[in-house]
Amino acid sequence: MCGIVGYIGNRVAQDFLLEGLRRLEYRGYDSAGIATIEDDSIKLTKSVGRIASLAAEVAEDPSKSTLGIGHTRWATHGAATLSNAHPHLGGADTKILALAHNGVIENFAELRSQLKARGFDFKSETDTEVVAHMIAERVQHRLSESNGKPPTQDIAIEAIKETIGQLRGTFGLAIVFKQWPDAIFAARLGSPLVIGVGDGEHFLASDAQPLVGYTDRIVYLADHQVAVLKSGSLEVAHRDSGVVSHDVRTLDIESNDVDMGDYDHYMLKEIFEQPEAIRNTMRGRLSEDDATAVFGGLNLTPQDLRKVKRIVFTACGTSWHSALVGEYLIEDLAKIPVEVEYASELRYRNPPMEHDTLVFAITQSGETADTLAALREMKRKGHPTLAVCNVVGSSVAQEADGGIYLHAGPEIGVASTKAYSSQCVALTMLALYLGRIGHMSYSKGRKMISNLQELPEKIEKALGENDKIREIASRFQHCENFLYLGRHYNFPTALEGALKLKEISYIHAEGYPAAEMKHGPIALVDKNTPSVFVMPQGFIYEKVMSNLEEIKARGGPVIAIAAEGDTRIAEVADEVIYIPHVVEYLQPIVAAIPLQLLSYHIAVMRGCDVDKPRNLAKSVTVE
Ligand code: AGP
């Protein structure tokens, strides 16, 4: 949920730290801070609010140090205040270290009272400060016993290992010590940390984006690992054993992936990137010769997959909506029963599941704590697990038995857009693949492939309605309640449209199966409550039209997402946004485009921070 950066090398550290925090701001933006080590002292600068405020503070009293760490926070323990901002200092009388943390320490209260009993006083309400003092106490104890021997950094490493052995919960830690001004120490359990390898320099970050433009060599720290970064060396050790080897991989993110370009917001850029994003998702994965999809990373053979009698998708938020689309796709096209489970529920609901159940974790970031926990629970039960994920090397991607990478490029806007459409495309290809292992004919497979190949142009056409959608948004920007209604394949689309509006414009919006609104929600309908009907052509169109009429009969305004050429809808709906004709199983992808743009424009008109909505963060790495 929070963002961590660190730098050691030959540059002025604060420059990388501030730029890295700007790129990680989508992970949390309540408060921020940096700590550098210079002239044997810790220089700490913190601010409440955005990175721009921190940068202004730093400019008042810049640091020349070439070693430092930084943090941008999404509050878990304690409000967004200066005292709760990271990094936190550790030490009883003398402060000997600065520490930044991403994650949640579940047993922090008991540890805090033990430290208080030993004379430590706390400046914050955070669980993080507890860890800082625990490490400091162990280092100070070892230094007092060193009997004049030069204090090696093994003292720090042992103190860190001992401390993390006492913690329950998750952490990504970045630590700098006054005593060892030539090193950054890092430790990971459940919250991601990556290390950039440079020439005479090393970088630390919560994910790969801060590294772009600085290095393309990356090391993914694994759970239970501790690392020591120096300008000319990197050492990685396992908490319970010694030094381990580490793979240096190549980072496949380009600079323009993380720049906003000519767009006003990352969200708008990512909405318009969707045609290219889904081309990348499909690239090399559609086999016309065999009329099927091809995946290189499922790690399950057709023989294995033929034995699968049920599939469980587990996810959160927008990924849960794409999972619902996947349920319709796979049941319709591959005739395999599918269950969709909220990850936070699946972990504890403990549903009876047969041994021939295949579990998919669907997650853009690959770091959502609830989804990771559900995946681990399914693995613990012995089920084969696969991931549909957008971030290479993320925790879910590493821990699943295999999976499908989206290749949609970094998604920085907190509201998921291109990842959603890419997830739906990946699940459509999965339905094709499973269908062709089953009973789907060659000709139907070829038809699916050509429908998928036409999809980017269909999305481009839907994007062409942007100006009209902006006009419609202006007419409804002041409404405080919306209903989103759709059926069959477009029931998940209605849910996704409602979530987009909620999370970036703060307007209350509910998604429902269109027919369901008669069983209660229709009571909400009045002239100030617009209903957005997702109703492109299909076998269920007439039924949805009846639901629309029921809303109109009660004075509710209607915005319809309809197939181009549908003149009848224009006679009943107050506003119509047309989308190109596509087969029903691709409608969720094309129909999502106007819903994304509608929510974007309303949010902008309401003065909301579209890319960093209040209370939210891009990757929810706490449960
Ligand atoms: C989507 O717009 C939201 N930001 C949120 O619901 C998100 O989809 C959810 O937190 C799951 O994230 P993930 O796909 O990275 O697991």
Side-chain angles (χ1 to χ4, degrees):
M1 194 80 82
C2 304
I4 291 176
V5 287
Y7 177 78
I8 182 159
N10 40 37
R11 306 171 200 243
V12 173
Q14 71 174 44
D15 298 339
F16 171 77
L17 299 179
L18 290 171
E19 174 55 23
L21 290 179
R22 284 189 193 96
R23 295 186 190 181
L24 291 179
E25 202 170 22
Y26 67 89
R27 296 177 66 94
Y29 27 87
D30 297 326
S31 58
I34 65 170
T36 55
I37 304 286
E38 47 198 304
D39 310 327
D40 292 336
S41 67
I42 300 171
K43 187 186 187 68
L44 186 61
T45 311
K46 303 201 277 191
S47 75
V48 174
R50 298 296 163 81
I51 303 305
S53 312
L54 175 65
E57 292 287 333
V58 169
E60 296 284 315
D61 179 14
S63 156
K64 299 176 300 300
S65 173
T66 60
L67 162 74
I69 58 174
H71 183 277
T72 184
R73 182 171 183 247
W74 187 87
T76 53
H77 294 85
T81 60
L82 199 59
S83 58
N84 287 334
H86 302 208
H88 287 284
L89 301 180
D93 309 328
T94 334
K95 304 304 177 194
I96 66 164
L97 66 85
L99 177 144
H101 165 227
N102 178 20
V104 174
I105 306 303
E106 295 177 352
N107 59 332
F108 89 98
E110 60 192 273
L111 296 168
R112 181 187 173 105
S113 39
Q114 290 164 12
L115 286 162
K116 279 189 158 180
R118 294 199 294 272
F120 284 84
D121 67 321
F122 285 80
K123 301 282 186 283
S124 79
E125 307 157 272
T126 66
D127 52 349
T128 304
E129 193 181 0
V130 170
V131 182
H133 288 322
M134 287 175 70
I135 294 172
E137 184 180 40
R138 286 163 173 78
V139 166
Q140 284 166 321
H141 175 67
R142 285 175 168 78
L143 288 175
S144 68
E145 292 189 332
S146 61
N147 300 328
K149 282 192 301 234
T152 70
Q153 65 188 33
D154 289 346
I155 290 176
I157 294 169
E158 290 314 311
I160 292 167
K161 286 184 175 182
E162 202 178 291
T163 297
I164 60 179
Q166 306 290 312
L167 304 179
R168 268 203 330 273
T170 57
F171 52 83
L173 300 175
I175 312 154
V176 289
F177 294 86
K178 271 197 303 192
Q179 189 79 38
W180 299 283
D182 63 343
I184 296 176
F185 299 78
R188 180 206 147 138
L189 178 61
S191 292
L193 280 176
V194 298
I195 296 165
V197 180
D199 296 327
E201 57 186 2
H202 281 91
F203 309 84
L204 181 67
S206 300
D207 66 38
Q209 285 170 51
L211 308 185
V212 176
Y214 291 90
T215 180
D216 64 356
R217 289 175 286 160
I218 184 170
V219 174
Y220 294 94
L221 214 51
D223 277 349
H224 305 297
Q225 287 187 341
V226 176
V228 183
L229 291 71
K230 293 187 172 181
S231 49
S233 68
L234 169 63
E235 186 181 277
V236 179
H238 187 278
R239 187 189 76 186
D240 302 330
S241 53
V243 175
V244 295
S245 63
H246 52 272
D247 294 339
V248 182
R249 303 187 197 180
T250 303
L251 183 57
D252 64 352
I253 301 178
E254 304 297 329
S255 290
N256 64 356
D257 285 334
V258 293
D259 295 333
M260 204 185 295
D262 297 334
Y263 292 95
D264 292 339
H265 299 96
Y266 279 109
M267 182 179 176
L268 190 61
K269 176 188 177 207
E270 289 150 11
I271 288 171
F272 277 85
E273 279 178 339
Q274 291 179 99
E276 189 55 26
I278 65 170
R279 285 191 187 97
N280 290 334
T281 304
M282 294 190 290
R283 198 178 307 284
R285 288 172 164 166
L286 296 176
S287 163
E288 292 181 348
D289 289 349
D290 295 329
T292 188
V294 179
F295 295 110
L298 286 185
N299 300 338
L300 287 173
T301 64
Q303 291 75 12
D304 298 329
L305 290 166
R306 283 187 74 88
K307 296 174 193 149
V308 169
K309 293 292 176 284
R310 177 176 297 277
I311 288 174
V312 167
F313 287 135
T314 189
C316 303
T318 283
S319 298
W320 188 83
H321 297 152
S322 65
L324 279 182
V325 175
E327 176 182 25
Y328 282 89
L329 284 163
I330 290 175
E331 292 190 344
D332 180 16
L333 301 169
K335 310 291 183 250
I336 299 173
V338 176
E339 292 293 329
V340 179
E341 295 271 1
Y342 279 115
S344 54
E345 288 298 306
L346 176 61
R347 185 180 181 195
Y348 299 110
R349 195 169 78 81
N350 193 27
M353 287 166 63
E354 297 302 324
H355 65 280
D356 49 15
T357 300
L358 173 60
V359 177
F360 279 83
I362 300 179
T363 167
Q364 188 284 130
S365 64
E367 299 299 348
T368 300
D370 291 324
T371 306
L372 185 57
L375 176 82
R376 288 172 174 165
E377 174 63 5
M378 293 298 107
K379 285 188 76 166
R380 188 192 61 78
K381 286 173 173 282
H383 292 289
T385 58
L386 297 177
V388 176
C389 182
N390 193 36
V391 179
V392 174
S394 59
S395 301
V396 167
Q398 291 193 42
E399 295 194 24
D401 299 320
I404 302 169
Y405 278 126
L406 298 180
H407 302 308
E411 186 177 69
I412 295 169
V414 166
S416 185
T417 50
K418 66 176 182 176
Y420 174 73
S421 48
S422 294
Q423 284 169 344
C424 291
V425 167
L427 292 167
T428 306
M429 292 192 291
L430 178 66
L432 167 61
Y433 177 67
L434 294 173
R436 291 284 291 132
I437 288 174
H439 195 63
M440 185 188 290
S441 68
Y442 180 90
S443 60
K444 184 165 183 183
R446 285 296 298 265
K447 184 63 186 149
M448 276 194 74
I449 287 175
S450 67
N451 288 335
L452 281 164
Q453 288 167 335
E454 291 166 5
L455 191 56
E457 288 73 29
K458 304 279 188 180
I459 291 177
E460 275 159 1
K461 194 160 185 192
L463 289 167
E465 295 296 298
N466 186 37
D467 292 342
K468 168 161 190 187
I469 295 166
R470 186 189 297 111
E471 283 169 28
I472 292 171
S474 67
R475 289 197 277 281
F476 292 91
Q477 60 175 303
H478 301 298
C479 296
E480 291 308 322
N481 294 287
F482 275 71
L483 285 176
Y484 282 73
L485 302 165
R487 292 181 77 151
H488 197 234
Y489 273 106
N490 286 308
F491 161 44
T493 315
L495 297 178
E496 175 57 13
L499 176 61
K500 288 283 97 49
L501 187 68
K502 268 188 276 220
E503 66 175 326
I504 63 172
S505 71
Y506 317 145
I507 292 172
H508 177 246
E510 290 297 329
Y512 277 96
E516 186 60 21
M517 57 91 199
K518 304 190 298 294
H519 304 283
I522 197 167
L524 296 172
V525 169
D526 63 20
K527 62 180 174 36
N528 301 315
T529 303
S531 294
V532 180
F533 273 85
V534 186
M535 53 187 301
Q537 298 294 353
F539 77 98
I540 205 94
Y541 177 87
E542 289 303 330
K543 300 287 186 190
V544 181
M545 181 61 88
S546 307
N547 301 145
L548 191 155
E549 300 275 8
E550 288 150 8
I551 295 270
K552 287 298 297 170
R554 288 157 180 82
V558 168
I559 301 169
I561 312 297
E564 60 191 6
D566 178 354
T567 52
R568 186 176 157 206
I569 193 75
E571 293 161 15
V572 285
D574 299 271
E575 302 288 353
V576 182
I577 302 169
Y578 286 106
I579 58 174
H581 279 279
V582 285
V583 289
E584 281 175 307
Y585 58 78
L586 295 181
Q587 285 173 0
I589 300 165
V590 181
I593 305 301
L595 303 183
Q596 293 164 353
L597 288 169
L598 182 66
S599 59
Y600 170 79
H601 289 303
I602 288 176
V604 169
M605 290 167 186
R606 290 171 70 105
C608 298
D609 187 332
V610 169
D611 283 334
K612 295 186 278 292
R614 69 185 183 196
N615 307 339
L616 286 177
K618 181 62 180 174
S619 180
V620 184
T621 56
V622 292
E623 290 183 47

